[in-house]
Structures are given as C-alpha cells and as structure tokens.
Amino acid sequence: MSDLILKNARAYIEGGLVDTDIRIEDGKIVEIKKDLHGEHDLLLDLKGLILLPGAIDVHVHMRDGKEAYKEDWFTGTSSAAAGGVTTVVDQPNTDPPIITRKRLDERISKASSQAVVDFLINGGVEKLENFRELYEGGVRAFGEIFQYRFEPDSLKAILDKIWELGAIATIHPEKKRCVEKDPLRPPVCEIEGIKDVLSLNRWGRMHFCHVSVPQGVDLIKSGGGGATLEVTPHHLFLCDKDRDRLGGYGWMNPPLRSDADRKGLWERVDSIDIIASDHAPHTHGEKLGDDPPPGVPGVETMVPLMLREVKEGNLSLKRLVELVSERPASIFGLGKYGKCGINVGSDADLIVVDMQEEKVIRGDELHSKCRWTPYEGMIGIFPQMTLVRGEVVYEAGAVIGGSGRYLPSLSHFDRW
Ligand code: DOR
Ligand code: ZN
C-alpha cells in the first residue's frame, strides 16, 4: 500500500508541466503515471493544480539558541513550509555559533525535534582546528564567511582548510577596510570584496552569498573557476527608495541598492545560479531602535514573489524551478539525499500551486516569529499545500504536520 496517491496533478517534470498521477511510498515518489489507483490507497485529488518540486533555500538564519526570541526551528521552518520551501540550509552565526562538534550535534538534535522541513547546517569558521570534526558531523559547506571580519591572510587560511576537506566555502563578500570606512556599505565594498576573493589562489568550491550588484554577478561569472552565486529576493524586488520608506525594516547587509542595480540583477537572471532568501529575522523592537540590526525575513515570501513574476510573464517556470530547486540541489550536493525534483526515486517534497490565487502579503499573517515583512502590501502566489517526504506539512494557511530531518542522517550513500 502506498502512503498517498496524488490524483490529477499538473506536475513539473523535466522542464514542463505534465498531467499525471503520482504514487508516494515511504516518503518517496515511486510511480508517475495517469490513472493510478489502489483499493486501500489514500487519494488526494489536486484537480489540475500545478505540482512543483519543493524549493531549497540555501541561506536561512533559523536563530534559536539565545536568539530564539527572534526565531526558532519550529517557527522558521513553518514559515519555510508555508512559502513552499521543503529544505533549508541553516547558517552558523547563531548565539552561540556553530564552531564545535558538540554545538553542531546539539543544534541537530534541537532542529530534529522542532523542524517541519528538512535541513542542513553549515559550519562556522572561527576555529580552524574544528573544521574536521564539523565535517565528520555532516557539514559540507562552511560559512557564510563574513569577509569583512577577516584579514586577507586569515581568510585564505580558512578557505584552504575548507578545500582540504573537499567542502564548499560560502562567502559573504564585503571588503573589511571598506565597510570599516563607510558604515553605509556602498556597492564598491562588495565589488572590491569579490575581486579580492577571486584573486586568491582558488583550488576548491566557492559560492558567493547574496550578490546585490550586477557588476558582482559579471565578475563572478567571468572570473573562471566555476564559482557560483546566489541573489536574494530583497535585492530583486526592493531598492534604496524602499530603504528610505522602510527605515530599520529595510536595513540588511549587503544593503538595498539603486533601482538601476535592481533591474541589472533581473537582466542577469540567466547568469544567477540560485535565489536564496537570507531569511534573517529580528524583532519589531530591534528594528525600531536607534541602531537596527541588519537582516529581513524572507523564506516564506521568496517562492510566492517569484511565482507572481512567472504569472506576469517576466520569468519562465523552468527558470524559477532551476533557481530555487534544481541548482541549489546540485550545487549543495543534495541529490544523494533524495532531493532531485519530481522523479521516480526522489523524496516527495512537493508544493501545490494555484496560479489564480494571488494574495496580498501581510507580515502578521506570516509564520515567522517576527511577524513583519519588507514586502508588506505586495502580491504573492502562495502554495496551497506543501509536502515533505510525502507528508502534508502545510495546507490552506496552517502547518499541520512535519518532522524535519538532518539530511546527512537520511543518506544511504554517503557515510562519514
Ligand atoms: O543582513 C544580514 N543579516 N546579513 C547577514 O549577512 C547576516 C544576517 C543576520 O544574521 O542577521
Ligand atoms: Zn550574509
């Protein structure tokens, strides 16, 4: 008996939409075919709605620990599920940071008991001597490495250590001397930062986080060596005028740029590898204070904002699936954990979408603990339903299940 048969889906398979049914067993897709049925099977009729592979957000800050007042694993991953994200890659700049195996293991166990979507955890880079133990605990990417916190020599030592392990270095590019001189962190800080990193002797995998200026995309893509990059929704949908309007709620690193830069990113949407949210929640109180901390929530609104662009004809559905699901899976090596689209043998990480259902985005209706969004009043197309490994985690506005797993613990192929 299967867990579930999805009837009458318009499923995104190999680059296009196909009318089909889908059989799910033990959390995996086992059959993709029309007219599936079974006497004892649980059927779910999707009535022709679109079925997409769940999104993989490779840059989220789930907080927890001493910052659980901003976000915790349950609220953060509920927000992910409600936004069609079925796997998140958590950043290690928590309080306390994830720089030892003990902290990693504690975080895995906390997340395993609270998360409703699957997750990976990146390793922090403050203690070189601990990189191996973090790797042995499942870490395959280190960072985001805040370039502006390190002198070039120590940055190089960190990268070499990561590459010795065969892991991925993920870099937040902003040049130290530049941001120390100018707290507004203009584009030149990021551009010079990217140039410095590209000029290092690179012999391993390098991924640039949240590139916010078109020149940065061009530098990375013409720099050779196969470096990859992500762009955030806030740099695609907001600009410096919004920063003036939003005050502290519009402050993040790297900051919002000019409208020309924003448009330049859209013009390069075919060169971008990944769209990732940099979900970085802070409280209303913090954002309204004199010195608001940088960061905006975004894991729940990323796919909905992008789906609206698909509906408006500004982006193909194929490109969207590449940007939020296929490329993240291939760059972060998630295929071996079953994250490989709507195919027989893949995890049934799926989202059901009605392209007619446009919704005004309201911060107080989102599932993040912070209850605000920089996209207040904008339009999104939110998923109707989200499944993680075949389980309905989110449906019609409510999180109704889910038991997120640390992906390395699921692996049959990759033992450490
Ligand atoms: O705006 C940001 N907030 N940028 C970062 O790189 C970190 C993040 C955070 O953790 O709040
Ligand atoms: Zn960052």
Side-chain angles (χ1 to χ4, degrees):
M1 195 178 109
S2 20
D3 309 346
L4 182 64
I5 295 177
L6 300 176
K7 296 289 296 174
N8 306 313
R10 259 179 93 56
Y12 183 90
I13 297 168
E14 285 169 15
L17 293 172
V18 180
D19 291 317
T20 187
D21 297 346
I22 290 184
R23 185 192 300 276
I24 299 167
E25 263 174 38
D26 294 331
K28 301 248 178 219
I29 295 171
V30 294
E31 203 174 2
I32 301 175
K33 203 167 102 192
K34 270 199 166 171
D35 303 321
L36 288 174
H37 56 268
E39 216 181 320
H40 304 290
D41 292 322
L42 189 60
L43 304 181
L44 188 65
D45 188 353
L46 299 186
K47 303 193 168 100
L49 292 181
I50 290 178
L51 190 71
L52 301 176
I56 296 166
D57 190 342
V58 302
H59 194 134
V60 302
H61 299 265
M62 286 296 154
R63 310 293 192 209
D64 212 274
K66 289 191 190 131
E67 290 183 323
Y69 67 92
K70 296 180 199 250
E71 192 77 288
D72 60 43
W73 277 98
F74 178 69
T75 55
T77 55
S78 293
S79 197
V85 171
T86 51
T87 296
V88 293
V89 181
D90 181 52
Q91 305 297 306
N93 66 328
T94 43
D95 185 7
I98 305 307
I99 52 176
T100 64
R101 177 66 187 272
K102 184 166 177 286
R103 294 229 185 107
L104 173 68
D105 289 346
E106 285 164 2
R107 193 157 177 81
I108 293 166
S109 109
K110 184 78 175 289
S112 301
S113 70
Q114 292 193 353
V116 302
V117 306
D118 288 346
F119 58 94
L120 279 175
I121 296 177
N122 281 358
V125 295
E126 282 73 12
K127 287 212 181 306
L128 280 182
E129 65 275 23
N130 293 345
F131 284 20
R132 178 163 290 282
E133 65 183 43
L134 290 170
Y135 184 85
E136 284 165 0
V139 162
R140 286 293 175 275
F142 285 82
E144 59 176 305
I145 303 165
F146 297 101
Q147 184 185 12
Y148 57 87
R149 292 190 186 159
F150 298 99
E151 295 300 337
D153 283 354
S154 38
L155 181 65
K156 180 65 176 124
I158 289 168
L159 298 180
D160 284 341
K161 196 86 198 164
I162 293 170
W163 293 334
E164 271 168 33
L165 292 165
I168 307 171
T170 70
I171 299 225
H172 170 138
E174 281 187 303
K175 192 182 172 92
K176 187 168 189 285
R177 249 185 305 123
C178 188
V179 300
E180 283 165 358
K181 228 171 43 199
D182 192 342
L184 288 179
R185 313 169 89 102
V188 64
C189 294
E190 183 178 334
I191 292 164
E192 292 302 315
I194 290 172
K195 283 186 186 158
D196 284 359
V197 173
L198 290 174
S199 72
L200 296 171
N201 171 25
R202 275 176 300 133
W203 54 281
R205 306 252 326 263
M206 161 88 75
H207 177 74
F208 286 91
C209 303
H210 42 52
V211 175
S212 68
V213 283
Q215 201 182 333
V217 177
D218 295 342
L219 281 167
I220 294 163
K221 287 293 134 182
S222 62
T228 54
L229 71 99
E230 75 199 28
V231 168
T232 67
H234 44 270
H235 294 117
L236 286 170
F237 288 92
L238 304 171
C239 68
D240 50 9
K241 291 199 192 69
D242 299 294
R243 186 174 66 202
D244 299 342
R245 176 175 64 82
L246 292 164
Y249 293 109
W251 176 240
M252 77 293 288
N253 296 331
L256 295 176
R257 305 301 194 188
S258 69
D259 200 40
D261 283 339
R262 186 186 75 78
K263 291 187 176 123
L265 291 176
W266 274 109
E267 283 160 15
R268 287 159 180 78
V269 79
D270 288 335
S271 310
I272 295 169
D273 294 287
I274 293 177
I275 293 180
S277 72
D278 192 8
H279 180 76
H282 299 284
T283 65
H284 278 293
E286 289 169 327
K287 284 301 206 179
L288 291 169
D290 292 337
D291 187 17
V296 293
V299 71
E300 189 165 346
T301 41
M302 174 172 77
V303 171
L305 285 166
M306 296 302 292
L307 278 171
R308 176 92 190 311
E309 292 304 306
V310 171
K311 183 167 182 189
E312 297 286 296
N314 300 327
L315 185 75
S316 69
L317 185 62
K318 179 168 192 296
R319 189 72 194 119
L320 173 59
V321 173
E322 286 166 1
L323 286 165
V324 300
S325 190
E326 293 174 0
R327 292 288 285 153
S330 76
I331 290 169
F332 284 79
L334 307 186
K336 63 176 173 290
Y337 307 126
K339 310 304 184 194
C340 27
I342 303 183
N343 288 299
V344 170
S346 298
D347 284 357
D349 293 350
L350 303 164
I351 62 179
V352 178
V353 172
D354 179 350
M355 291 302 275
Q356 304 312 315
E357 279 287 311
E358 298 197 337
K359 189 168 170 298
V360 179
I361 298 173
R362 298 286 175 214
D364 61 5
E365 292 173 6
L366 299 177
H367 295 74
S368 167
K369 208 175 264 191
C370 73
R371 300 247 162 241
W372 59 271
T373 170
Y375 310 107
E376 185 76 27
M378 292 172 67
I379 310 271
I381 298 176
F382 287 77
Q384 309 261 305
M385 184 186 284
T386 301
L387 295 93
V388 179
R389 281 176 285 102
E391 181 184 358
V392 179
V393 168
Y394 171 84
E395 186 179 7
V399 174
I400 57 171
S403 130
R405 301 257 187 90
Y406 182 52
L407 293 182
S409 70
L410 286 175
S411 172
H412 303 293
F413 311 108
D414 188 17
R415 305 222 170 262
W416 21 68

